Amino acid sequence: MGLGVGLSVLTASRHDPAAQAITAAMVGNEKGLPDLRSFAKNCDVVTFDHEHVPQEHLKALEADGHIIRPGSHALLHAQDKSVMRSRLEAMGIPGPRHRIVTDPADVAAFAAEVHANRGNVVLKTTRGGYDGKGVWLIDADTSAAVLAEPFEAGVPVLAEERVDHVRELSALIARSPYGQAVAYPIVESVQRDGICMEVVAPAPGLAPQLASQAQRIALSVAAGLDVVGVLAVELFETPDGRVVVNELAMRPHNTGHWTIDGAVTSQFENHLRAVLDLPLGSPAARAPYTVMVNILGGNLPDTYPAYRHVMARDPSLKVHWYGKDVRPGRKVGHVTAYGDDLVDLRERAWHAADYIRGDVEW
Ligand SMILES: Nc1ncnc2c1ncn2[C@@H]1O[C@H](COP(=O)(O)OP(=O)(O)OP(=O)(O)O)[C@@H](O)[C@H]1O
Ligand SMILES: [Mg+2]
């Protein structure tokens, strides 16, 4: 991305997308301290593209004198949803009522405490979830077997009241150790079955004061938790015009992929600038609207003809292909369209994603 910075990556497989892009990849176990130590000794700064490196290993690397950004004390809030909820509540940031629950009977007790019936509760494993894995929306029809599932992994389970919302938003910022921060426009993210499908930047029709409030929340969370790098704050917009925090991510985030083509400085570049304590780049959008749609694996035996077709059909579309094995439902790439006609941008981006998935034929 033109910064002239040497990058290396510790990755589980030579075939991982990051290893395909960065030739100086070390294949190893990013959850094991010996490999983390031998990787870190050749780095000036270590950062992440996911939050699953165990907290105790990060602390050990910090004790060795390595520079880890964001630091383990900040990252903890993206690793553990219960710690995050308690800390944000203490900071006065709006979130749902919540507590750790121990079994299905305790879920019913929680529902009664928040004056809700079972239809209003969301259960989450506190650690290790992603793309809706580790999240259960509980309603009156939920069977006893499903209600027992969250407790099976042996990881503490967090219960939250279900937040009534009109849509989901995301506030993306980058913050440097120096304390400089930049805020990207607030985007709308469309989720299906717990997976982010589409992002529209900026969120259409969002009241300007709500957009500023969402940006202020993200900036104060970043300052309060001492986040360095990119922070994504996933939010709910409520029917009465408030924003409520869902969760935090401290790394380049799916709701920021639009910035690669749609912003002056991408989230990836600003993440690197931030962790290197360089001045940050402008987060301004390049066009009135940018639409990003994720490409999920479908049932096409060979995606290559479809990949070529969408490029030929729409030369203004930007196609990003991650080089992963294609499996149904797995995120294997994304497309971005930018311009001023939102209806047209959405149609084109969705067409490409649906085509590669094998859902449309022309
Ligand atoms: N308290 C809640 N009220 C209403 N809906 C919720 C609540 N918590 C989660 N959801 C829904 O479930 C989705 C997934 O939840 P969450 O973001 O916590 O899980 P995740 O699997 O960690 O997601 P990610 O892939 O973003 O890491 C949310 O995007 C939202 O649609
Ligand atoms: Mg989420």
Side-chain angles (χ1 to χ4, degrees):
M1 61 193 63
L3 292 177
V5 173
L7 294 174
S8 56
V9 63
L10 172 60
T11 175
S13 155
R14 184 70 55 202
H15 303 293
D16 279 349
Q20 294 174 37
I22 297 169
T23 46
M26 170 179 156
V27 176
N29 177 10
E30 83 275 17
K31 293 176 187 156
L33 190 52
D35 284 354
L36 286 164
R37 279 202 161 116
S38 54
F39 176 74
K41 73 175 192 298
N42 298 317
C43 298
D44 297 316
V45 179
V46 177
T47 188
F48 315 93
D49 73 353
H50 65 62
E51 46 271 310
H52 304 309
V53 179
Q55 190 51 219
E56 63 271 20
H57 296 346
L58 296 175
K59 286 202 155 51
L61 294 178
E62 287 167 338
D64 290 348
H66 296 297
I67 299 177
I68 311 292
R69 289 176 176 156
S72 60
H73 59 290
L75 191 73
L76 177 62
H77 302 87
Q79 294 181 309
D80 187 310
K81 292 185 195 223
S82 175
V83 172
M84 176 272 291
R85 281 274 174 251
S86 304
R87 182 67 186 274
L88 294 193
E89 191 169 46
M91 289 171 69
I93 306 273
R97 284 176 290 176
H98 60 93
R99 75 166 169 81
I100 294 288
V101 286
T102 51
D103 54 34
D106 201 17
V107 177
F110 171 77
E113 275 164 42
V114 295
H115 304 294
N117 57 32
R118 287 242 314 268
N120 295 56
V121 175
V122 181
L123 300 180
K124 301 181 175 184
T125 49
T126 50
R127 290 166 178 264
Y130 68 98
D131 282 354
K133 294 181 181 63
V135 175
W136 290 261
L137 304 182
I138 304 298
D139 62 31
D141 298 330
T142 305
S143 68
V146 171
L147 200 49
E149 272 176 26
F151 301 95
E152 282 161 11
V155 177
V157 176
L158 180 71
E160 297 178 349
E161 65 182 318
R162 195 185 290 191
V163 178
D164 195 14
H165 56 279
V166 289
R167 59 178 167 176
E168 295 187 43
L169 304 172
S170 174
L172 192 80
I173 66 108
R175 180 175 179 274
S176 71
Y178 178 76
Q180 188 195 3
V182 293
Y184 286 93
I186 301 301
V187 301
E188 175 173 351
S189 81
V190 179
Q191 312 274 325
R192 194 187 294 159
D193 299 330
I195 298 183
C196 172
M197 300 296 290
E198 179 190 19
V199 171
V200 181
L206 183 63
Q209 68 274 23
L210 209 53
S212 317
Q213 194 195 334
Q215 288 180 322
R216 277 200 305 274
I217 285 175
L219 291 167
S220 54
V221 168
L225 303 185
D226 188 31
V227 178
V228 171
V230 163
L231 168 73
V233 181
E234 296 179 8
L235 299 155
F236 299 114
E237 181 180 357
T238 65
D240 57 354
R242 293 173 300 117
V243 284
V244 172
V245 172
N246 175 28
E247 63 161 346
L248 311 179
M250 294 177 199
R251 52 173 164 80
H253 190 248
N254 201 170
T255 61
H257 286 359
W258 70 274
T259 62
I260 300 170
D261 304 302
V264 174
T265 314
S266 81
Q267 63 165 348
F268 295 94
E269 178 173 343
N270 262 338
H271 185 75
L272 288 182
R273 289 193 190 208
V275 303
L276 294 167
D277 208 6
L278 290 168
L280 301 176
S282 165
R286 291 175 191 259
Y289 284 108
T290 304
V291 175
M292 189 278 327
V293 174
N294 277 327
I295 302 172
L296 302 189
N299 296 312
L300 289 182
D302 177 10
T303 45
Y304 188 65
Y307 165 86
R308 225 174 26 193
H309 169 89
V310 300
M311 288 181 184
R313 181 183 189 266
D314 189 349
S316 301
L317 196 74
K318 302 300 287 185
V319 180
H320 298 262
W321 193 253
Y322 306 153
K324 291 178 174 175
D325 290 337
V326 178
R327 286 202 295 271
R330 187 181 199 200
K331 288 177 188 166
V332 292
H334 71 267
V335 291
T336 310
Y338 52 93
D340 47 21
D341 181 346
L342 182 56
V343 173
D344 173 66
L345 298 172
R346 293 193 70 204
E347 191 283 321
R348 286 165 43 213
W350 273 102
H351 175 274
D354 287 342
Y355 191 93
I356 295 178
R357 199 182 166 130
D359 288 353
V360 289
E361 291 189 343
W362 46 273

